[in-house]
C-alpha cells in the first residue's frame, strides 16, 4: 500500500527525514485511484534491485506481504487480466464468490481468507478467464525453490506485537490519520481501500462510530493480519527466524550477521 501517493500516515510510510538518511524504493509509485498490480510491483522491484546492484550495493527487501515478496524472490508467473470477467464478479457478494471459487479451484480457496474479497475475485477472474486453476500458475505459493535471496524473519511474542500495533495506531491517529483518510477517500481505488485502518477512520468521520470504536476495530483487524502473516511465513523453510521479547532492534547484530555471510 505504500506505493500509493498520499497514503503516508495510514501505511506508516518512511518519513522524508528517514528517506534522507537511507535510499528507499518502491514508494509513491501510483495515485490512489490507480489499480496497482502484482505484475507492476514485480517489474518495479526488478528495476530497483538491478540499479542497486549496479551501483555496487545490496538490496534489503523489507515488508510483510507474502504474495508480493514471493513474486520477487521466487519469480512467480503472474497470470493475465480479464477485466470483463472481473466486472461481472464485482456484482456478486463475497460469500457467493468464495463458494464458487471453492468449487472450481479448491486449493486456491483453502489458501485465501474468505473475507479477502480482492483476492477471491482475482482467483476467480484468472480461473474463469484462463480456463485453468489460479493455483496452477507458477511454482505456486506453497513451493519454496532455491533463491539467491537470504530470508530472515523477526519474531515477537503476540502480546508484545499487540502492544506495538496499538501504540503505532494511536500515534497514527495523533498524526492525522482521520484527516488523511477523508482527504483521500474520493479518489481511492478498490485496491487502495483495502489498506488497514482507512475504512475505520472513514466510518468515524461519517459519524458511524466513535474514534475509540474505530481504533479498536482497526487494531483488531491489524492483529488478525499479523497472525495470518505469521502463519504464511512460518510455512517457508528458507526463513531464518530471530526472536526477542523486547525491542526488535535487539536482533540487528544477528540479522546483519546472517545477511553478510
Amino acid at each position: 500500500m505504500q506505493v500509493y501517493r498520499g497514503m503516508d500516515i495510514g501505511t506508516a510510510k518512511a518519513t522524508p527525514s528517514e528517506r534522507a538518511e537511507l535510499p528507499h524504493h518502491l514508494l509513491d509509485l501510483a495515485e490512489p485511484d490507480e489499480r496497482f498490480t502484482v505484475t507492476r510491483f514485480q517489474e518495479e522491484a526488478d528495476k530497483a534491485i538491478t540499479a542497486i546492484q549496479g551501483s555496487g550495493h545490496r538490496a534489503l527487501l523489507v515488508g510483510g506481504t507474502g504474495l508480493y515478496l514471493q513474486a520477487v524472490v521466487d519469480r512467480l508467473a503472474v497470470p493475465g487480466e480479464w477485466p470483463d470477467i472481473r466486472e461481472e464478479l464485482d456484482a456478486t457478494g463475497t460469500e457467493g464468490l468464495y463458494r464458487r471459487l471453492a468449487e472450481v479451484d479448491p486449493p486456491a480457496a483453502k489458501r485465501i481468507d474468505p473475507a479477502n474479497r480482492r483476492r477471491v475475485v482475482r482467483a476467480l477472474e484468472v480461473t474463469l478467464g484462463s480456463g485453468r486453476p489460479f493455483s496452477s500458475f507458477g511454482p505456486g505459493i506453497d513451493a519454496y525453490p532455491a533463491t539467491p535471496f537470504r530470508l530472515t524473519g523477526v519474531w515477537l511474542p503476540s502480546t508484545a506485537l499487540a502492544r506495538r500495533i496499538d501504540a503505532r495506531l494511536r500515534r497514527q491517529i495523533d498524526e492525522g490519520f482521520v484527516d488523511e483518510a477523508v482527504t483521500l477517500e474520493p479518489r481511492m481505488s478498490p485496491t487502495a481501500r483495502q489498506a488497514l485502518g482507512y475504512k475505520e477512520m472513514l466510518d468515524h468521520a461519517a459519524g458511524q462510530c466513535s474514534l475509540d470504536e474505530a481504533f479498536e476495530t482497526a487494531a483488531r483487524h491489524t492483529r488478525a493480519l499479523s497472525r495470518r502473516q505469521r502463519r504464511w511465513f512460518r510455512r517457508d523453510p528458507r526463513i531464518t527466524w530471530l526472536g526477542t521479547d523486547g525491542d526488535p532492534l535487539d536482533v540487528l547484530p544477528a540479522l546483519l550477521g546472517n545477511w553478510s555471510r
Side-chain angles (χ1 to χ4, degrees):
M1 295 299 176
Q2 294 183 346
V3 301
Y4 290 114
R5 301 184 190 101
M7 293 177 64
D8 303 331
I9 298 172
T11 65
K13 194 179 295 179
T15 64
S17 61
E18 289 170 334
R19 295 190 222 181
E21 293 181 6
L22 187 72
H24 288 67
H25 304 266
L26 273 64
L27 303 181
D28 301 331
L29 297 178
E31 294 298 328
D33 57 0
E34 290 184 55
R35 184 170 180 271
F36 197 92
T37 64
V38 177
T39 300
R40 184 174 171 191
F41 181 85
Q42 193 178 54
E43 293 169 350
E44 295 286 355
D46 287 345
K47 287 191 294 185
I49 293 169
T50 299
I52 292 168
Q53 293 176 335
S55 64
H57 297 284
R58 298 175 69 186
L60 177 63
L61 280 64
V62 183
T65 307
L67 177 62
Y68 283 70
L69 175 74
Q70 286 190 260
V72 176
V73 305
D74 292 331
R75 312 309 312 153
L76 291 183
V78 182
E81 297 188 359
W82 291 266
D84 292 343
I85 292 177
R86 183 168 63 245
E87 185 175 348
E88 292 178 11
L89 295 172
D90 280 336
T92 305
T94 304
E95 192 173 320
L97 291 175
Y98 186 79
R99 286 198 300 268
R100 187 175 181 186
L101 178 62
E103 294 173 358
V104 298
D105 189 357
K110 289 180 180 179
R111 294 196 296 254
I112 295 176
D113 180 355
N116 191 331
R117 178 178 178 84
R118 182 165 59 92
R119 288 201 63 205
V120 172
V121 169
R122 176 59 176 156
L124 267 177
E125 173 196 342
V126 171
T127 300
L128 299 176
S130 68
R132 53 182 280 204
F134 179 69
S135 57
S136 69
F137 282 83
I141 57 176
D142 285 332
Y144 305 105
T147 175
F149 293 87
R150 191 177 297 278
L151 307 178
T152 304
V154 179
W155 178 88
L156 290 173
S158 57
T159 52
L161 191 58
R163 287 196 301 270
R164 289 176 62 85
I165 287 171
D166 288 357
R168 186 182 75 165
L169 183 54
R170 294 186 196 282
R171 186 168 62 251
Q172 289 171 309
I173 290 174
D174 290 342
E175 292 172 352
F177 192 179
V178 176
D179 289 340
E180 178 177 275
V182 171
T183 300
L184 291 171
E185 195 273 336
R187 54 195 186 92
M188 292 179 76
S189 69
T191 302
R193 289 176 185 272
Q194 297 287 326
L196 284 169
Y198 282 87
K199 180 183 183 302
E200 291 78 10
M201 298 304 113
L202 289 171
D203 286 347
H204 165 65
Q208 298 176 15
C209 64
S210 68
L211 185 56
D212 285 343
E213 290 171 332
F215 170 87
E216 291 298 334
T217 303
R220 185 175 69 252
H221 289 165
T222 306
R223 290 192 293 270
L225 174 63
S226 75
R227 291 192 293 271
R228 292 197 298 272
Q229 288 175 322
R230 180 177 295 189
R231 288 196 296 269
W232 178 293
F233 289 116
R234 280 294 185 187
R235 298 197 301 257
D236 191 335
R238 302 168 300 180
I239 296 177
T240 298
W241 287 96
L242 304 174
T244 176
D245 289 335
D247 188 340
L249 290 178
D250 293 342
V251 307
L252 189 58
L255 189 151
L256 292 175
N258 180 60
W259 189 46
S260 62
R261 290 204 304 271

